[in-house]
Amino acid sequence: MSATYEGGCFCRKVRYRLTSAPMFVHCCHCRNCQNQTGSAFVINAIIETGRIELLAGRPEITTVESGSGRPHDVYRCPDCRTAVWSDYGRRPGMRFVRVGTLDDPATLPPDVHIFTRSKLPWVRLPEGVPAYDVYYETDRLWPAASLERRRAALG
Ligand SMILES: [Zn+2]
Ligand SMILES: [Zn+2]
């Protein structure tokens, strides 16, 4: 059984399909993500750019600054302005897809919770999912196959 990962923006002008499962899924509780989404956290599926198949529409880029000071390009529907994915730090081979834009966001639960130091106090984290005050070492957490994909994606 293989899941299909289709999604899109709120007005449905932008539609996409992920052609495989992502490498890893982040739930980020940092202040920037809270501020940019207007919510408690963001859920990002990290996947190769080439595994995002655009089915309709063409997202537009809004550039903001990331926490590290590098550019963070947010890809938004030109009409309803829903953010569908991000490029953190201009790494052309890799995208952070907003899991909330999937038709079925429950198919991609977080593999890790990060920046829990700014987690809202009423959010309870699930047991058994790693959680970090700030960030973590990719090499220690990611499955070998995902690390291999990441190396290939970053060139
Ligand atoms: Zn839209
Ligand atoms: Zn964040």
Side-chain angles (χ1 to χ4, degrees), residues 2 9 24 40 45 53 60 63 70 78 83 93 96 98 104 121 132:
S2 73
C9 67
F24 216 65
E53 190 184 339
E60 283 180 2
T63 302
R70 287 178 302 176
F96 287 60
R98 299 279 191 280
D104 185 5
Y132 294 85

Side-chain angles (χ1 to χ4, degrees), residues 8-14 76-82:
C9 67
F10 186 70
C11 80
R12 299 184 71 84
K13 288 213 169 68
V14 171
R76 294 180 178 278
C77 168
D79 290 335
C80 73
R81 313 307 298 179
T82 301

Side-chain angles (χ1 to χ4, degrees), residues 28-91:
C28 185
H29 301 260
C30 86
R31 284 292 303 131
N32 285 353
C33 287
Q34 290 170 340
N35 187 240
Q36 287 159 18
T37 60
S39 191
F41 50 75
V42 74
I43 312 169
N44 282 324
I46 305 171
I47 192 163
E48 296 91 331
T49 307
R51 296 192 188 195
I52 304 174
E53 190 184 339
L54 206 48
L55 305 174
R58 196 185 163 81
E60 283 180 2
I61 297 172
T62 305
T63 302
V64 295
E65 202 175 271
S66 72
S68 63
R70 287 178 302 176
H72 167 198
D73 291 334
V74 186
Y75 286 71
R76 294 180 178 278
C77 168
D79 290 335
C80 73
R81 313 307 298 179
T82 301
V84 286
W85 54 78
S86 281
D87 173 5
Y88 287 93
R90 301 255 162 90
R91 293 178 291 185

Side-chain angles (χ1 to χ4, degrees), residues 16-29:
Y16 67 82
R17 178 191 300 129
L18 309 182
T19 60
S20 80
M23 295 179 262
F24 216 65
V25 179
H26 281 176
C27 184
C28 185
H29 301 260

